[in-house]
Amino acid sequence: MEKLLVTGGSGFLGSHLCDRLIERGADVICVDNFFIGSKDNIRHLLGNPNFELMRHDVTFPLYVEVDRIFNLACPASPVHYQHDPIQTTKTSVHGAINMLGLAKRLKARILQASTSEVYGDPEVHPQVEGYWGRVNPIGIRSCYDEGKRCAETLFFDYHRQLGLEIKVMRIFNTYGPRMHPNDGRVVSNFIVQALRGEPITIFGDGTQSRSFCYVDDLIEGMLRLMDSPADFTGPVNIGNPGEFTMLELAEKIVQIVGGKASLQFMPLPQDDPRQRQPDISLAKSALGWEPKVALDDGLKETVAYFRKRLAA
Ligand SMILES: NC(=O)c1ccc[n+]([C@@H]2O[C@H](COP(=O)([O-])OP(=O)(O)OC[C@H]3O[C@@H](n4cnc5c(N)ncnc54)[C@H](O)[C@@H]3O)[C@@H](O)[C@H]2O)c1
């Protein structure tokens, strides 16, 4: 039986990953410090003999025996990662060092959940993996962006210097059930505001665009990357290239939720990129992966989740 470690396993993506791994018949250790993640996300797995939950902070070393490591631990939304920016950098950098050290000792394959934020506010559109990015090293988002960039550097140095089997995945905006309702991410924000009958907050004029990947597609990409041949390290973009403006997204959500919602315009936050869209040619050719879930379908699932959660 495969023994797998998922750090950040009680978070949004981590909990969906644990579900898929348990379905595959793996033995899963889920590690989380519950800074953001919630036991509610993994409660249904707690009685499963193949699932083990450990409260642990990845900035400290961890000693477990596993075959593969998925390193997802890190606050992912600006509200959360800016709450304690020093801890955010520590989580990315010390967390990577600790998990890479563990992988080295165990000769285990290790996957890093990196981010499209490594491209910063890009001059290249859509973003290809060869693009080095345009990142502010001293801004309020830098704890996340530069922390993730440094983690990628560490992964590639452990690979070159010590021959570790690494997989680096650059995740673009992902949404779906179990997102945090108050994390300031645009999809959850808009849905929660629409369900509460509050005005929908649009930053800037709403013409900035984003691409949105449904969580099931994202996890499928992550599993394919982990299972890919040993010489394929990435980095590889995983996201949905369909591009929508904030105004289009708000319109879709209001339509699904039903009723009427007004829009409230606010100034753009610092270093907010204007456009973000993945080039997924590499994921298609190397992993045979592309997203399947249309935005309307994914939004319906997500709205249904938040409707239930807000009613509870
Ligand atoms: N969701 C997205 O759109 C997206 C986009 C790009 C990258 N990512 C990356 O994917 C990963 C998972 O993102 P998510 O959306 O599930 O976020 P999330 O915040 O829901 O999950 C992250 C989890 O990590 C845990 N965590 C934070 N610091 C920790 C620490 N020091 N030790 C142990 N656990 C810790 C949190 O408690 C949480 O459960 C993150 O690394 C994130 O940077 C996500």
Side-chain angles (χ1 to χ4, degrees):
M1 192 189 266
E2 276 184 309
K3 278 196 146 201
L4 308 172
L5 171 63
V6 178
T7 74
S10 73
F12 162 46
L13 299 182
S15 63
H16 285 277
L17 174 63
C18 288
D19 282 344
R20 284 289 301 274
L21 296 174
I22 290 286
E23 268 167 38
R24 263 167 56 150
D27 203 35
V28 176
I29 301 179
C30 164
V31 159
D32 207 293
N33 68 348
F34 293 105
F35 173 54
I36 293 141
S38 158
K39 273 198 190 148
D40 289 340
N41 289 341
I42 38 117
R43 198 175 299 285
H44 56 288
L45 295 174
L46 289 178
N48 190 311
N50 295 339
F51 183 79
E52 192 180 336
L53 176 63
M54 278 178 81
R55 183 185 289 265
H56 175 82
D57 186 321
V58 295
T59 61
F60 296 96
L62 177 68
Y63 300 96
V64 289
E65 305 299 316
V66 289
D67 306 308
R68 289 180 171 188
I69 302 168
F70 293 86
N71 189 35
L72 274 65
C74 186
S77 76
V79 173
H80 291 138
Y81 70 63
Q82 286 166 12
H83 169 73
D84 185 349
I86 296 173
Q87 175 66 11
T88 299
T89 305
K90 278 188 184 171
T91 294
S92 276
V93 177
H94 290 194
I97 291 170
N98 287 327
M99 290 310 121
L100 287 162
L102 180 65
K104 177 185 158 208
R105 178 173 73 78
L106 300 172
K107 297 190 174 43
R109 183 176 283 201
I110 180 166
L111 179 147
Q112 168 68 356
S114 190
T115 170
S116 56
E117 302 293 335
V118 300
Y119 299 122
D121 190 2
E123 304 110 318
V124 168
H125 191 76
Q127 289 82 57
V128 284
E129 290 85 351
Y131 175 55
W132 290 356
R134 186 165 75 117
V135 177
N136 175 359
I138 55 167
I140 55 169
R141 301 170 73 110
S142 314
C143 57
Y144 184 71
D145 304 2
E146 295 289 19
K148 288 285 189 180
R149 284 168 68 94
C150 183
E152 285 200 10
T153 307
L154 283 160
F155 267 68
F156 276 87
D157 282 333
Y158 269 74
H159 172 65
R160 281 186 290 257
Q161 201 174 323
L162 303 166
L164 221 66
E165 274 187 31
I166 61 156
K167 307 282 174 189
V168 174
M169 173 173 181
R170 291 189 179 149
I171 301 173
F172 282 66
N173 257 351
T174 303
Y175 71 99
R178 301 188 197 150
M179 289 180 92
H180 201 282
N182 303 318
D183 67 0
R185 288 195 238 189
V186 63
V187 173
S188 44
N189 249 15
F190 284 8
I191 292 178
V192 170
Q193 288 173 329
L195 285 170
R196 288 187 176 143
E198 295 167 0
I200 292 186
T201 316
I202 308 256
F203 293 105
D205 61 4
T207 57
Q208 72 274 34
S209 66
R210 290 289 185 280
S211 56
F212 304 99
C213 185
Y214 189 62
V215 61
D216 290 357
D217 282 334
L218 193 283
I219 299 299
E220 177 62 29
M222 189 179 280
L223 293 173
R224 286 190 190 206
L225 175 59
M226 186 54 123
D227 291 338
S228 63
D231 60 354
F232 184 71
T233 56
V236 59
N237 292 337
I238 301 284
N240 191 324
E243 208 179 347
F244 298 88
T245 66
M246 297 303 102
L247 291 173
E248 287 168 332
L249 178 71
E251 207 172 289
K252 279 181 186 297
I253 289 175
V254 171
Q255 213 169 30
I256 294 168
V257 168
K260 266 201 192 151
S262 56
L263 305 181
Q264 186 181 29
F265 291 87
M266 307 273 279
L268 267 183
Q270 193 190 322
D271 294 338
D272 197 46
R274 256 215 76 71
Q275 268 184 319
R276 196 48 87 50
Q277 187 193 28
D279 180 314
I280 58 165
S281 318
L282 180 61
K284 279 186 185 167
S285 62
L287 308 174
W289 177 88
E290 61 183 318
K292 300 252 184 301
V293 181
L295 182 59
D296 292 80
D297 296 334
L299 286 177
K300 280 180 196 149
E301 294 292 323
T302 315
V303 166
Y305 165 79
F306 277 112
R307 206 185 280 282
K308 218 163 131 190
R309 185 165 170 170
L310 294 183

